[in-house]
Structure formats: structure tokens, C-alpha cells
Amino acid sequence: MNIHEYQAKELLAKYGAPIAAGHAAFTVEEAVEAAKQLPGPLYVVKSQIHAGGRGKGKFKELGPDAKGGVRLAFNLDEVKAHATDMLGNTLVTIQTGDAGKQVNRLYVTDGADIAKEFYLALLVDRATSRIAFVVSTEGGMDIEEVAHSTPEKIHSFSVDPASGFQPHHGRAVAAALGLTGDQAKQAAKVASSLYAAFLDTDAEQIEVNPLALTEQGNLLVLDAKVGFDGNAMFRHKDIAELRDLTEEDAAEVEASKYDLAYIKLDGNIGCMVNGAGLAMATMDIIKLNGEFPA
Ligand code: ADP
Ligand code: MG
């Protein structure tokens, strides 16, 4: 189960991660009100959809020259204009597919003075069956490109569940980011707070990209993507309530009401399968023979 950036940030803030101030907004008026509560003078208006790549995304309705789904605003009029552009329109990003996703929520947040953008993520590494950190100095909007062309710039290490997060893990994150002194301490603290959040909430993924170093020398979580193990949500009722059904396929949502694991696929051969392994094998066989499962 996935949640929106603003929800992820509220959650991570509870574990001590450094988050800039910000407020969610469902209407243009709420977006302007949200900005008024921030110190300014720089605001950032961010489309809230369950997909990354928003900054470089394009709105279907606005044409190729319009700005993307994450925009700076230098006054309240600009906040209003950006909110008007975004709400109700369809954002297409590298992660949404051609259909894109309709933007129904915004996050209006404090603008940061960014000196450097890092990448920091936690996930479950299937090879080691452990929670792993993925760290890179090359954060920002092109992490897929970094992974593709310069994979040596991405560092990864896992945490032994028996001993849990240790100070040396924090130092390893700081070292991978090339940070020293006070900034290394900040990086270690961010790493430890993300690890605590991950364990506590039965997360499957926490991705902070960018983890920004500001001109003032502070680390700040500027973007956060958090996904949870759906099978564990029965013990996290507060998190389960954050589920946004408009982000999910309507047929899958309907099926889930009856405890049916319906997965929408685009193919031409319908599969009604009994068990995940058989489902996978059936789909593999269909594809191997040049057809597509549905
Ligand atoms: P996405 O990854 O979906 O494109 P991000 O939240 O990472 O969205 O935003 C894209 C870029 O916008 C970031 O890499 C960063 O450079 C900039 N940005 C995001 N939030 C802020 C902020 N609060 N202040 C200044 N710049 C920001
Ligand atoms: Mg990002």
C-alpha cells in the first residue's frame, strides 16, 4: 500500500526526520491558505500522486511547454496559478504510463535553498532477506539514469536484523554521501530515523530523493515515497486510513471488498488462477507463446 508524499513526510517527521513545513490542499483556495501559513518568500507547489518523476512530468491538458508537477512559486499569486494549473488535470510522468494520473491533492511547502541533492532509500533486499540502505551522492530527478549508466555511484548495504541499526550504519551512510563533521551526524540521524520508521510501520520501501543539503548546511527530506506491506496493515489502522482509493484501479478496489485478489492486466487471455505460483507460471507460459494474460 502506498501513501502520498505529504502523508509520508508527516509520518517520517514523527520519527525525527528533518522535514520542511508544508500543508496539503484539495482546492486552489486551500493551496493559497496553506502558503499563507508558511514563512515564504519561496513556496513549492507539489502535485500529489502515487508516482515519482513529477518534477519532469507534463500535464496532458496544458501542452508541452507548460511547467511540470513540482513548481516553485515566489508569491501567493504564483501559488494560485500553479494550483489552478494542477488540480483536476492529468500528470504524465516516467512512472505513470501514458494514461497519467489525475491530480486531486496538492502539497504546498517551504522552498529550500538547495546546495546538493542526495539519494537515500531503504528497501527489503530479497537476496539477503534483510532491510538494505541504498545511498548515492547523485540524488535528484535522474536516479534511474544514474543506476543505468553509473551504477558504481550507488552504494548499498544491509542491516543484520538480530543486532538492528547500529552507529556504524549511520557512519556508512554519511561516508557514502561524502559528509563529515556535523553533516555526517545529521546523515546518521536521518538514517536511524528512517530505519526506525521502516521497522515500526512494516514498510516495504522508503525512498528519499532528494535528501537535500541546504546552503545553510542542513539535511532536509525534500521528497519521500513510502510503501507498506499490505498484509501488515491490519495492525496499522492509522496508516491503513491513509489509503487513497482514487489512486488505485476501480475494479481492483471493488474486488478487494470481497477479499478477491483481482489484478487488472491488458492482455487477451483471461486467467483465473488458484495460488500465486500457478498464476506466475501461467502468465509466463502465455507470454512465452506470444500472447498476453488478462
Ligand atoms: P519528483 O521526484 O516526483 O520529481 P520531487 O519532490 O523530488 O518530485 O521534486 C523534484 C525536484 O524539485 C527536486 O529534485 C528538487 O530539486 C525540487 N524541490 C522539491 N521540493 C523542493 C523544496 N521544498 N524546495 C526547493 N526545491 C524543491
Ligand atoms: Mg523526487
Side-chain angles (χ1 to χ4, degrees):
M1 192 196 102
N2 295 320
I3 57 175
H4 288 289
E5 174 198 359
Y6 73 93
Q7 298 166 328
K9 284 181 168 173
E10 278 169 19
L11 183 81
L12 296 179
K14 285 186 197 152
Y15 289 87
I19 310 281
H23 307 280
F26 292 77
T27 63
V28 175
E29 294 70 34
E30 282 177 19
V32 175
E33 280 309 310
K36 280 185 188 161
Q37 292 172 46
L38 298 171
L42 180 62
Y43 312 97
V44 187
V45 184
K46 309 183 77 172
S47 304
Q48 299 295 289
I49 55 171
H50 286 183
R54 296 163 299 164
K56 291 195 167 172
K58 289 286 171 199
F59 284 97
K60 265 192 179 166
E61 296 83 356
L62 302 182
D65 297 329
K67 290 190 186 131
V70 174
R71 302 184 185 179
L72 301 181
F74 295 88
N75 54 54
L76 295 180
D77 286 338
E78 287 185 16
V79 170
K80 188 175 179 184
H82 293 327
T84 308
D85 265 5
M86 292 179 187
L87 280 171
N89 281 338
T90 313
L91 185 58
V92 181
T93 81
I94 193 169
Q95 293 184 8
T96 60
D98 293 341
K101 285 201 162 174
Q102 189 177 49
V103 177
N104 301 314
R105 306 179 189 201
L106 301 175
Y107 183 55
V108 183
T109 177
D110 248 348
D113 254 339
I114 304 174
K116 181 95 188 67
E117 298 194 337
F118 301 122
Y119 181 93
L120 179 59
L122 279 90
L123 46 80
V124 180
D125 177 10
R126 281 159 202 264
T128 58
S129 305
R130 290 176 174 186
I131 297 172
F133 278 92
V134 182
V135 194
S136 179
T137 50
E138 309 303 304
M141 292 197 267
D142 282 318
I143 193 67
E144 286 87 356
E145 176 57 24
V146 177
H148 181 71
S149 42
T150 47
E152 71 279 3
K153 290 190 171 163
I154 297 183
H155 301 271
S156 181
F157 58 87
S158 59
V159 178
D160 184 338
S163 42
F165 186 92
Q166 300 290 323
H168 70 84
H169 294 119
R171 290 195 293 273
V173 168
L177 295 179
L179 298 175
T180 53
D182 174 58
Q183 286 166 8
K185 280 191 193 140
Q186 290 184 45
K189 187 164 171 275
V190 175
S192 118
S193 58
L194 297 189
Y195 186 84
F198 196 101
L199 263 194
D200 230 31
T201 62
D202 290 307
E204 275 182 343
Q205 178 202 36
I206 296 182
E207 184 186 54
V208 174
N209 186 29
L211 173 67
L213 178 64
T214 64
E215 293 289 356
Q216 295 76 26
N218 298 317
L219 286 180
L220 211 48
V221 171
L222 279 196
D223 185 15
K225 193 172 171 187
V226 179
F228 306 94
D229 180 351
N231 292 316
M233 285 302 98
F234 72 93
R235 53 184 193 188
H236 301 287
K237 297 272 188 293
D238 50 335
I239 295 173
E241 278 172 15
L242 302 179
R243 189 172 169 196
D244 178 0
L245 294 179
T246 66
E247 288 284 335
E248 298 175 31
D249 183 83
E252 290 181 14
V253 171
E254 183 65 17
S256 74
K257 290 183 195 159
Y258 304 94
D259 259 341
L260 294 171
Y262 172 76
I263 312 278
K264 182 151 170 44
L265 299 171
D266 296 329
N268 55 342
I269 297 184
C271 300
M272 198 191 304
V273 285
N274 188 352
L278 177 59
M280 289 303 186
T282 306
M283 292 197 292
D284 282 349
I285 290 167
I286 291 173
K287 282 218 157 181
L288 200 62
N289 286 279
E291 299 296 332
F292 298 91

